[in-house]
Each structure stands twice: as structure tokens, then as C-alpha cells.
Amino acid sequence: MATPRSDRSAPSSPRSDLPSGRPAGRFSAAPIDVDRARSETPGCAHVAHLNHAGCSLAPQPVLDAQADWLAAEAITGGYELAADRADDRAATYDEVASLIGARPDEIAVVENATFAWHQAFWSLDLQPGDRVLTADVEYATGFVSMLQARRRLGVHIEVIPDDEHGQVSVEALARRLDDDRAGPVGLVALTHAPTNGGLVNPAEEVGRLTRAAGVPYLLDACQSVGQMPVDVAEIGCDLLSTTGRKYLRGPRGTGFLYVRRELGQRLQPPFLDLHAATWVAPDRYEMRPDARRFENWETNFAGKIGLGVAIDYARAWGMAAIWDRVRALASRLRAELEEIPGVTVRDIGAEQCGIVTFTADGIEARQVKQALAARSINVTTSTVASTRFDMEARGLHEIVRASVHYYNDEAEITRFCESVRLIGL
Ligand SMILES: Cc1ncc(COP(=O)(O)O)c(C=O)c1O
């Protein structure tokens, strides 16, 4: 397995010690050295962090890379440093591309998953009467935009029902895609792993259908990238949005958008600036040929560098190894929670990820969160307003969300469950 960057001496430039070839990381399933991962995560000494679906604890190399950049910026000048270290900045695109099986020119590095998703959604040339197909666990931000598009553009929104496991029904989607009489399908927008539970939607099966139908496919991978292998070619999506701060363990205020090259060259982002396009004549502009037409000029450079280092760090552990450990820890957590009287685990789906949700009889989710915080255990809650269709269908208003990552250890899971057991006794 490739050595995580923190094993090497502190680099003068955040990227000066990158291995020349690609680390074997992405394909490696060697078990994670949890002790080492924890020792490289300063926050582990202070909290039991089970809030990776909110924001991870950053590993030391990610902190170092940002601190180094900021310190250099302060003495060199922001523009000057950006020019001097253009290779470091470019390396972030290489990292993102390698992580998801894309090409660097198909990547836009932006501020967050929301901006990435919106740039993609509003760049599609949706017409009145076009159908937008989505699923039950669609995140509020995406669905609100679809409602806005219905009002502004006259598109029709169709929410595909779930199958018996609670994941989007592939059969139902196939039928809707085939239904020519209902009108053209302008987009399939799917959330890979929702904000409110362990479900993993069958993104690849959806991709097989959208490819066969020739329909654009936008995948919200905000909660999946970083905890499981995600490969855009295997999935067959055309557009993918995600964030840096969650399972990738990158800086806040970072995210990225993947745009399949052939599609990207035909899309007009809703916001264009002088980075995304060049004003070539008084009445004419030309857009960049690559996915950076979805970015804007001013950005958090330290964050961008930190994102690249976070991805390098994750890939050095190996996405397969990370995914194995995340699933094992989450299964253990679910099993232990199910043993606690009055606790109900709420996760659905044939395949489940590191996001574990539950309710406790007679105790509000936010009270559980507060009680755990008093014991230095971080979790969060998820409400009906984030995933309204799914939560209403299951009669849920608010649930506790405890999301694990590979560097959580078994002792934390035990301490967590003991603490939950004590709440309300
Ligand atoms: C499924 C899903 N999509 C999108 C987002 C938005 O991500 P960001 O806050 O980075 O814009 C979130 C945030 O929690 C999410 O859970």
C-alpha cells in the first residue's frame, strides 16, 4: 500500500512529495492501520467523532497543506504564490480525476456540493414539458431547485417509487424512461447515499438505463464519495457533484463537479465569469473548453490544495479498504444499537453505508445529540425538511445520525452504545 503522506517529512510545498506514479491505493484492500490513522488525526484525542456525514476530522497532512499554503501566501502574495505553485493546483484536478475514474479536464473544483449540483442542473437546456425523474430520498436542496424549475421552466417532476428494500426501483425507472407518451425525459437526478440514513441507491443500474435511453444523469454523491469506491465510468453518470469536508476529510468550503467531456462541451453554465469564459469581442465571449467553465475565478486556494491532499491521503489507504472498514463498523454499530431497549435503527436499503440512523422512544433526537455531546461524542440529527418524501413515508420527523469512518475504533462504538443506553435511564 502507498504510504499516507503524513509518514513523510513535512514538505516545503504541500505537493512536493507526491509519488510520481499513482498509488496502488484505490485498488488496495489491505486492512486499515487504525492506530496509525488515529494518530494522524489530532481530533481523535478529544472527541469520539461520529459525524462524518456532516464534516470529518481532518488528518494532519490536510491541515499541514493548508497551513503551509496560507503561510506562504502571507509572505509571497496570493496571486504570486498561485502562479509559482500552478503545478500544485493542477495536482488537485489529477487527484479528483483519479479518485472517480475521470479525466482532469472533466473536473471543476468549487466551493461545495450544492454549487456543483446547481451549476450542473441549471446548465441543462430543460424545456417546458420535459420530465425530471428523481427518487424518494432526494436532498431538499436539489428538490427545491426542481420545484423552482417547474415554476420557471414548466418541467414536470416525477418521483420514482422505491422497491421493497427502500432503494429507488430500477424497474419503475425503466418503465418511466420507456413511457414516450408522457413526454421527453430531460434529466434523471439521483442521490447516491442520502443525508438521512445508510441507504445506497443502485447508481450503476440507474446508469445502465440512462445510457440506453440517452438521458442525462446527475448523481448527487455528496455522502458517498470518500467512503466507498465511486467510478463515473462504472456508474455511467454524466454529471456528479460532491463535497470535500465529509467522507473525503478535506477542508470545508470545497467540493467538485464531474462533467462528462462530450456533454460538458455542449453545456452553458448558468454563471459565467472571466475564468469560465473569455470576452473576445465587444459582443462575444468564448467559454473554456474544459469543465472549469463551471468554476469561477476567485476561490479558496488553500482549501483547493487541501482537497487534493485529502484525496491523495484517502487513496493511499485505499478506497476498497476504507469501504470494507466503514461497512464493518456501521454493521457493528447497528447490531449493538438494536440490542438497546427503546432504540430503533432506521436505516433502509439492500446495501448500507457508514451512515447509521436511529430513534429512541420518548426522547427527542436533539436531546440524544446533546446528551452525547456532553460525553464528547459527536453526532447530528436529520429532520423531515431535508428528505421530506422518505421521512414522511416512514412517519419520521427527526432522527439521530451517527456516521462512522475508517479511523473510528471499536472502543468508540462500545462507548457510544453505552452512552445511548444511559440516556433517559
Ligand atoms: C445528499 C446531500 N446532497 C447535497 C448536500 C449539500 O452539500 P454541501 O453542504 O457541501 O453543499 C448534502 C449536505 O449535507 C447532502 O447530504
Side-chain angles (χ1 to χ4, degrees):
M1 188 177 108
T3 310
R5 293 166 56 86
S6 49
D7 260 9
R8 306 166 200 148
S9 55
S12 57
S13 150
R15 309 213 58 93
S16 62
D17 65 341
L18 275 179
S20 51
R22 298 288 359 119
R26 188 154 161 262
F27 305 104
S28 151
I32 301 276
D33 179 345
V34 178
D35 289 342
R36 190 169 95 207
R38 292 178 68 76
S39 73
E40 293 173 357
T41 305
C44 285
H46 303 275
V47 286
H49 192 70
L50 282 83
N51 190 13
H52 298 93
C55 181
S56 274
L57 300 178
Q60 193 63 49
V62 173
L63 299 173
D64 290 345
Q66 291 175 88
D68 173 88
W69 186 276
L70 291 175
E73 239 181 20
I75 55 170
T76 308
Y79 289 19
E80 293 73 14
L81 187 74
D84 287 355
R85 294 195 185 170
D87 288 350
D88 293 346
R89 293 191 290 117
T92 295
Y93 294 83
D94 296 341
E95 289 293 344
V96 173
S98 299
L99 177 75
I100 61 167
R103 305 183 190 107
D105 68 348
E106 296 175 312
I107 305 301
V109 179
V110 295
E111 296 87 329
N112 50 57
T114 298
F115 186 74
W117 193 95
H118 277 87
Q119 283 286 75
F121 179 78
W122 292 105
S123 70
L124 294 162
D125 189 22
L126 294 171
Q127 298 293 319
D130 278 358
R131 297 154 65 211
V132 174
L133 308 186
T134 190
D136 218 18
V137 291
E138 190 61 14
Y139 190 58
T141 301
F143 201 79
V144 165
S145 293
M146 291 178 209
L147 292 174
Q148 206 181 0
R150 183 166 76 183
R151 207 180 59 210
R152 278 194 196 163
L153 307 173
V155 303
H156 300 304
I157 309 168
E158 292 177 30
V159 180
I160 306 300
D162 294 336
D163 69 10
E164 69 278 16
H165 303 291
Q167 63 186 26
V168 67
S169 165
V170 177
E171 284 74 29
L173 175 63
R175 280 195 299 277
R176 302 285 182 109
L177 283 168
D178 270 354
D179 187 357
D180 293 335
R181 284 169 312 166
V185 177
L187 174 68
V188 171
L190 182 74
T191 296
H192 197 188
T195 202
N196 69 329
L199 171 77
V200 183
N201 262 322
E204 286 184 25
E205 290 174 60
V206 169
R208 271 195 285 281
L209 294 178
T210 55
R211 262 185 292 193
V215 168
Y217 174 19
L218 167 56
L219 187 68
D220 174 346
C222 189
Q223 305 289 44
S224 55
V225 168
Q227 67 162 317
M228 64 186 76
V230 171
D231 186 295
V232 291
E234 281 167 22
I235 291 174
C237 58
D238 303 289
L239 303 147
L240 176 147
S241 56
T242 195
T243 198
R245 71 180 185 280
K246 298 190 184 210
Y247 275 95
L248 279 175
R249 309 185 67 195
R252 295 202 67 172
T254 62
F256 64 80
L257 173 66
Y258 155 78
V259 187
R260 191 169 55 78
R261 186 188 278 168
E262 298 71 24
L263 178 66
Q265 285 166 353
R266 289 185 272 127
L267 296 183
Q268 281 261 1
F271 305 112
L272 287 175
D273 73 354
L274 77 181
H275 166 83
T278 306
W279 192 11
V280 290
D283 61 349
R284 213 159 47 79
Y285 64 86
E286 279 172 11
M287 284 184 290
R288 288 183 64 118
D290 58 17
R292 293 188 209 185
R293 68 172 60 173
F294 294 86
E295 299 180 344
N296 47 55
W297 190 83
E298 175 55 358
T299 188
N300 174 359
F301 282 85
K304 214 166 184 170
I305 295 294
L307 177 66
V309 173
I311 295 173
D312 178 51
Y313 187 77
R315 295 181 66 236
W317 289 113
M319 285 315 305
I322 288 174
W323 182 218
D324 282 351
R325 177 146 178 92
V326 165
R327 274 186 300 189
L329 279 178
S331 304
R332 183 183 180 128
L333 177 53
R334 287 190 191 100
E336 290 193 24
L337 282 170
E338 270 159 6
E339 297 293 306
I340 303 175
V343 168
T344 308
V345 173
R346 296 294 182 176
D347 298 318
I348 52 175
E351 172 149 49
Q352 296 184 336
C353 68
I355 304 176
V356 177
T357 53
F358 63 96
T359 52
D361 288 351
I363 312 172
E364 296 280 321
R366 58 197 60 192
Q367 288 176 287
V368 175
K369 176 185 161 182
Q370 277 163 10
L372 292 170
R375 294 172 166 83
S376 301
I377 298 173
N378 294 346
V379 296
T380 193
T381 62
S382 190
T383 73
V384 63
S386 291
T387 39
R388 181 163 293 283
F389 292 126
D390 174 52
M391 294 284 272
E392 280 184 351
R394 294 195 283 144
L396 297 170
H397 176 72
E398 191 166 20
I399 51 184
V400 185
R401 186 180 75 183
S403 41
V404 295
H405 214 336
Y406 63 91
Y407 65 91
N408 285 124
D409 64 12
E410 285 70 8
E412 284 178 317
I413 303 294
T414 303
R415 185 160 88 80
F416 176 82
C417 291
E418 278 166 5
S419 302
V420 171
R421 200 182 282 272
L422 287 173
I423 296 167
L425 291 184

